[in-house]
Amino acid sequence: MSTILDRVTHTDRNQLEFAFEPFLKREFRFGLDPNRPICRFYVQGNCPRGNECPDKHILPTYSNKIVCKHWLRGLCKKGDACEFLHEYNLRKMPECLFFSKNGFCTQSPDCLYLHIDPMSKIPPCPNYEKGFCRQGAACPKRHVRKVLCPLFLTGFCPKGPTCENAHPKFVGIFDKLRIRPDPKNESYPSANSTTVVAEPTPTDAMPKTLIPETTSINAGLTKFEPDSSATTTTEATPVVEMDSTILANPDLDLDGSMAKKRKLA
Amino acid sequence: MSTDLTLRDQSELNLKLEGCKLQFLDKSNDEMVLIDHIGDFYQVKFDADGRKVFDLKVSRLDTSLGGSISIPNPINITVIDEKRIFVGSNTGDAKLLGIKRKGERLSHDEKVEVTNLKDLSTIQENADDYDELDDLYGYETKNSTSSKNNKSLSDDPIMFYVNDTIVNNGPILDMAIGKSRKSSGSQTIDSALEIVASTGSEKSSSLTIFQKSLRPEVVSTLELPKSEKVWSLKLQDSEFFSKETSENLLDEYLITSTSVSSPSGESFIYKIGEEIIEIQKETAFKNDSATIVAANLLNDSVVVQITETELIAYDKNFQRRKTTKSKKNIVSAQLSGSTILTICDDNSLVIYAAETTVHGPKISIVKLPKSITELSRDNVVSSTVSQSTVLSTIRSSTKKNKRKRDEDEVIKTQSENSLEETVVCLFLKNGTLLFFLPADPVVSLVIESADAFPQILSSEAVKMETENSEHQPALIKEVLLTKMGDKVYQNEYLFFAERTGEIHIYELFLENAAPRFVKVSNLLALQKEDNEMDIESTKKIPEVTLTPTPDIDGLSGVFVTGARPYWILKNAQNPIRRFAFGGSYVSHITPFNTQLVYNGFLYCCGDNTAKVCVIPKKINLDSTWPTQKQNFGETIHSLCYHEAANVYVVSTSKIIPFDAVDEDETKIPGYDENMPAAESRKGYIKLLSSKTWDVIDEIELEDNEVALQVKSMKLEVSEQSKRTKEVIVFGTGFYRGEDLATKGEFYIYEIIEVVPEPGKPETNRKFKLIHRERVKGAVTTLCEVAGHLLVAQGPKVVVRNLQEDNSVSPVAFLDMSMYVIEAKSMKNMLMLGDAMNSISFVGFESDPYRMVLFGRDFSPVQTTAAEFIVNDKKLYFAMADVQQKLHVLQYDPDDSTSLSGQRLVRRSECFIGKQVQTMKMLPMPSGVDLFALGGSFDGSLISVIPVSEGCYRRLYVIQQQIIDKEEHNASLNPRMYRYGDTKLSSNAINRALLDYQVIDRFPSLDRTRRQKLSRRLGKKAELDILADLHRLQNIMDYF
């Protein structure tokens, strides 16, 4: 019964098939898989299979990616030979020159050309994306704030790259940035001790950590949402030795296929 | 033409006469009533001297004089008689109004209430019988006799009061399908969905909730082990209480029992108090066998329990007062009055009579005359006993003959002065129906071959020439004679239940000494689909049984128990209607009255629980589907249901004065401040809780801006992850002067969760703006296509794309001819209905973005609503137009007439007699096919359902036969009505749509007629046709 309810309220009819769909494919090249391969022959100029060809026929203009401003006004005389895109997609408009120079546009709401936020032109910081950037607010690159995927954090996210949350890899983080594990004499029966055993790091030899041991790994993890404005360059940034902890923790590594999962992530 | 009439300036009334109705009130032709389009009443009075009119006075009837009655957009004012008018309305309820003068007011005010109810029955029965009406309206005769008084009164302002109302569910402007809500505190049976439609306009505007089944409000659920049957009983100390007090008595005891067929029969007794407690130990109740019937007898002073072998009478403390053993095993029993009717396992009949003696109750066998015992021996299929008037006319005629012989009895019966007597009705194996009075068995009525179900059952009926000589064994399982109706109108009905679940209903007419039963209705069983029926439940499904339910909430009806229970109800305004009962399975039902639950009922669900329910007060049973109205008070233009938040969003508008300004907000030349302003509208978007229908949040639009359509859709916000977000999108248009270009705007909102106001948990939602954009041309319709948003703005449609950062940008467009009325999507294909030029079928594709016109219909049809129909991998379009026609088109590029797909193939066309304003796509119960449901201006829902080829052929033949061979109301031709005006080409593939209204007559034809009509299709065709009708009947069971 619940299936019928779902069918009434959901408008998702994608499983339906129609007898005329092959005709549409043939006649209009409509309904083909957008991820199909590009036809080699068509790129070279002529495909013998014509409309019957199952592969993608991309017009040479399409590769330009930028909408032809003359075509938009109906004035482009080049037709198929035009080096600009003849497609009504305002996401692919050329950039508004006035806006990029002055930071504002006199035509503001009606301007068809792209107004790109100057911020978005700065490339994102690769370190930040991996999990941590040492430079914090001083970093010249952009720190895009994202939510850390809790599934990824606890070991495995089934959505993989399609997940809307961030999957930071935490690679290239120097050992000295990591939270120092507990000194051995203080016996914590927690996961921290296993960390030490599993991944003996040179930290043992280092001076005492700046972070009090009470800020446990978990507390650190929940706060882990690095933001250039928030992480001010005070004496030492609290860095959480997260990746290795999780990897090393046999309790969390449920089926021992961590390596594979990391690859996925 | 000229006039001497001096015209007076009455502009202070601010009267707008567009769409008003005028009607003379009396024969003197000097007084009229005027109802304007808002629904206000005005009195128009002519001052005349002889034939010359001096003056014309218009006065508004103020609120105290019936001005509180508002009938917006009146269609007609019909004078029924001097004291009553009937006013129909396009957008509100039709009302029967009584007229009074102000002077009459004091003396007759209290009478209004009383006349209210009785009024209707007198209209129906004695529409032209004025004498009786005068009795009813005592004051009327008084007034007409004292004509002097009358004259002076006629100068007083008139006032109206409502006598009766006919509920109007129209015009349905838009509808949404949402999950059925559970009211807080008591859980309703959640069977599924409901249709919420916007109906009415202005003050009469409301949300109407349509549900297919009657969903009772469950007050409490009781754990009653092994309960298959249940009876609630009331008892009083002695039998000398008057009858009226006993009616108000509350139920005190509950008897439950296992079903009779179960191997180990058990019965239980409970006392109803704060809790339901088993009291077996304190009583002498017989609990080791199943109870067949338990009931109160003798003015509720004793309880009679009938088991297989015994009839036991208990007193108030449940001590045995009398035990009568039956010689044979009893299989069924009925009680009425003081008569107990039992049928034994050898199909014979024993009648007992209960009476009170000094020593307590006494139950004795009634001796029947030989004629009846001989007829009924081993022969009774089913029986019923009730207080009935069936034999009253026969009795009075036989009385005359008997007078000489039996003077005493005549005197006795005359002194009774009541026509109702205990009548026993037997249905015998050979199909004969036998009525007799147990008190006076000489009086009897025999109706032969009742099992052919002719249109009229009477003793004089000419014997049908049954064509198949061998008589079919009677398939009748049960007969029942009972009263149905409400307080206004009640009559007796005779029910036949067949083994197949079919029920035939006859209404009793008494005339010329011969009682007749006229067939009024025929109900097919509400069978479950075979695949839905799991093995477990088939085991315990009891046979369908009829249980009369007298006076539950004022309505007496018959409840049909079983796996798909339903209620047969009748009220004064409507024919017999069947309402499917929202609960899944009911094995037995009984009325239930306690302090907490008044006018409720109790039913066993078969799984050791019983539920105490009441019919929700707001439910209106005047239509085929139960409806509920939620008054809103502002015109609703459009509405939608947001699934994730379980809320409704409606677009409403209020009337504001129009300010004629140009683009720069300056007054246009020629603007006169002193003239009354024209009307314009200001729109609002409101968020409604589906639980309480309260407004939770509101968006106020600009002056003159009205949201034409509001839709909830799931838009794709990320191309990468294909993540979707459910958003509310609405498009608006501005009412402006004709010299200005139209403009519109569309808004995208999401619904967020907030902390609710204290004490109002439903207020936890709010609108949050995502995007708004001003466009050229009004935004007439919106649609979701493959995760993108389609906006119809002016003469073009633009597909837009919502991104994760809440930015919206157009990605594709298509130019249309006029403007788009309707846009619907199916996968990545679209149907666009143009205001003048029918529909186009368009594909939308991303990567690269483009819109491709596949095909269109070239006929000049003004679309009002359209929807897809999918059947067997074929795509059809159902389209309604302003000429009240329904078109069915198909996209079929293989068809030669379609010019390889460029043209949509016209499959059918028919007249539906109503303008359909909105359509929704719904799934068929099985398979992936879809059909269309439409809501129309007159408040009715229509559905266009695809059927299989075999089914179509069968039903088509039956339809033709019924049209050709049966009689029609007023000799109207159903075929001309549907197709008289259509121009279908003679192409073989063009097919007439089946008309369910015609086919629906098939089951109610009598048996031989049915066989005759279906013979053309083969020997077993009748069963196939009934199965087809079943399937159609159950198609929207999720509502």
Short mmCIF file of all heavy atoms in Angstrom, two decimals, chain A residues 167-184:
data_model
loop_
_atom_site.label_atom_id
_atom_site.label_comp_id
_atom_site.label_asym_id
_atom_site.label_seq_id
_atom_site.Cartn_x
_atom_site.Cartn_y
_atom_site.Cartn_z
N HIS A 167 34.94 15.56 2.31
CA HIS A 167 35.71 14.39 2.72
C HIS A 167 37.19 14.77 2.74
O HIS A 167 37.92 14.47 1.80
CB HIS A 167 35.49 13.23 1.74
CG HIS A 167 34.14 12.62 1.82
ND1 HIS A 167 33.74 11.56 1.06
CD2 HIS A 167 33.06 12.91 2.59
CE1 HIS A 167 32.50 11.23 1.34
NE2 HIS A 167 32.06 12.05 2.26
N PRO A 168 37.65 15.50 3.74
CA PRO A 168 39.05 15.92 3.73
C PRO A 168 39.98 14.71 3.91
O PRO A 168 39.66 13.79 4.66
CB PRO A 168 39.14 16.89 4.91
CG PRO A 168 38.02 16.50 5.79
CD PRO A 168 36.94 15.94 4.93
N LYS A 169 41.09 14.74 3.19
CA LYS A 169 41.95 13.55 3.19
C LYS A 169 42.99 13.58 4.29
O LYS A 169 43.57 12.55 4.63
CB LYS A 169 42.64 13.42 1.83
CG LYS A 169 41.63 13.19 0.73
CD LYS A 169 42.22 12.40 -0.40
CE LYS A 169 41.15 11.90 -1.33
NZ LYS A 169 40.17 12.91 -1.76
N PHE A 170 43.29 14.76 4.80
CA PHE A 170 44.27 14.91 5.88
C PHE A 170 45.64 14.36 5.49
O PHE A 170 46.31 13.72 6.28
CB PHE A 170 43.80 14.23 7.18
CG PHE A 170 42.50 14.79 7.68
CD1 PHE A 170 41.35 14.03 7.66
CD2 PHE A 170 42.44 16.09 8.16
CE1 PHE A 170 40.16 14.54 8.12
CE2 PHE A 170 41.24 16.60 8.64
CZ PHE A 170 40.11 15.83 8.61
N VAL A 171 46.03 14.55 4.24
CA VAL A 171 47.37 14.11 3.88
C VAL A 171 48.29 15.33 3.92
O VAL A 171 47.84 16.47 3.84
CB VAL A 171 47.42 13.45 2.48
CG1 VAL A 171 46.72 12.12 2.51
CG2 VAL A 171 46.81 14.37 1.44
N GLY A 172 49.53 15.06 4.06
CA GLY A 172 50.51 16.15 4.06
C GLY A 172 50.48 16.95 5.33
O GLY A 172 50.94 18.07 5.38
N ILE A 173 49.90 16.43 6.36
CA ILE A 173 49.92 17.13 7.65
C ILE A 173 51.12 16.63 8.43
O ILE A 173 51.28 15.43 8.65
CB ILE A 173 48.60 16.87 8.41
CG1 ILE A 173 47.48 17.55 7.63
CG2 ILE A 173 48.68 17.41 9.81
CD1 ILE A 173 46.10 17.26 8.15
N PHE A 174 51.92 17.59 8.77
CA PHE A 174 53.18 17.19 9.41
C PHE A 174 52.91 16.63 10.79
O PHE A 174 51.94 16.98 11.45
CB PHE A 174 54.12 18.39 9.52
CG PHE A 174 54.38 19.02 8.20
CD1 PHE A 174 53.85 20.25 7.86
CD2 PHE A 174 55.15 18.33 7.25
CE1 PHE A 174 54.10 20.80 6.63
CE2 PHE A 174 55.39 18.89 6.02
CZ PHE A 174 54.86 20.13 5.70
N ASP A 175 53.83 15.81 11.18
CA ASP A 175 53.65 15.15 12.46
C ASP A 175 53.60 16.14 13.60
O ASP A 175 52.89 15.96 14.57
CB ASP A 175 54.77 14.14 12.69
CG ASP A 175 54.59 12.95 11.77
OD1 ASP A 175 53.43 12.73 11.36
OD2 ASP A 175 55.58 12.28 11.48
N LYS A 176 54.38 17.22 13.42
CA LYS A 176 54.41 18.13 14.56
C LYS A 176 53.11 18.92 14.70
O LYS A 176 52.86 19.56 15.70
CB LYS A 176 55.60 19.08 14.44
CG LYS A 176 55.50 20.06 13.30
CD LYS A 176 56.63 21.06 13.40
CE LYS A 176 56.53 22.05 12.25
NZ LYS A 176 57.62 23.00 12.26
N LEU A 177 52.27 18.83 13.66
CA LEU A 177 50.98 19.49 13.78
C LEU A 177 49.96 18.62 14.51
O LEU A 177 48.89 19.07 14.87
CB LEU A 177 50.44 19.81 12.38
CG LEU A 177 51.24 20.80 11.56
CD1 LEU A 177 50.66 20.88 10.19
CD2 LEU A 177 51.22 22.15 12.24
N ARG A 178 50.30 17.41 14.63
CA ARG A 178 49.32 16.48 15.21
C ARG A 178 49.26 16.63 16.72
O ARG A 178 50.23 17.02 17.36
CB ARG A 178 49.70 15.03 14.88
CG ARG A 178 49.58 14.76 13.39
CD ARG A 178 49.97 13.35 13.09
NE ARG A 178 50.04 13.14 11.66
CZ ARG A 178 48.98 12.76 10.91
NH1 ARG A 178 47.84 12.53 11.49
NH2 ARG A 178 49.11 12.61 9.63
N ILE A 179 48.13 16.29 17.24
CA ILE A 179 47.99 16.30 18.70
C ILE A 179 48.88 15.21 19.26
O ILE A 179 48.91 14.08 18.75
CB ILE A 179 46.52 16.03 19.11
CG1 ILE A 179 45.69 17.27 18.81
CG2 ILE A 179 46.41 15.68 20.57
CD1 ILE A 179 44.27 17.13 19.26
N ARG A 180 49.54 15.60 20.27
CA ARG A 180 50.42 14.64 20.89
C ARG A 180 49.60 13.62 21.66
O ARG A 180 48.64 13.99 22.33
CB ARG A 180 51.34 15.38 21.85
CG ARG A 180 52.66 14.77 22.09
CD ARG A 180 53.53 15.81 22.74
NE ARG A 180 53.47 17.08 22.01
CZ ARG A 180 54.18 17.32 20.91
NH1 ARG A 180 55.00 16.41 20.44
NH2 ARG A 180 54.08 18.49 20.31
N PRO A 181 49.94 12.38 21.51
CA PRO A 181 49.21 11.40 22.33
C PRO A 181 49.60 11.52 23.80
O PRO A 181 50.54 12.23 24.15
CB PRO A 181 49.63 10.07 21.73
CG PRO A 181 50.93 10.33 21.10
CD PRO A 181 50.96 11.77 20.68
N ASP A 182 48.87 10.81 24.59
CA ASP A 182 49.11 10.87 26.04
C ASP A 182 50.47 10.31 26.36
O ASP A 182 50.95 9.39 25.71
CB ASP A 182 48.07 10.02 26.78
CG ASP A 182 46.69 10.53 26.47
OD1 ASP A 182 46.58 11.73 26.10
OD2 ASP A 182 45.75 9.74 26.55
N PRO A 183 51.08 10.89 27.37
CA PRO A 183 52.32 10.25 27.86
C PRO A 183 51.99 8.85 28.35
O PRO A 183 50.86 8.57 28.77
CB PRO A 183 52.75 11.14 29.03
CG PRO A 183 51.97 12.40 28.88
CD PRO A 183 50.73 12.07 28.13
N LYS A 184 52.96 8.00 28.25
CA LYS A 184 52.67 6.59 28.49
C LYS A 184 52.32 6.28 29.93
O LYS A 184 51.56 5.35 30.21
CB LYS A 184 53.84 5.73 28.05
CG LYS A 184 53.68 5.34 26.59
CD LYS A 184 54.80 4.52 26.12
CE LYS A 184 54.60 4.23 24.64
NZ LYS A 184 55.83 3.77 24.03
#
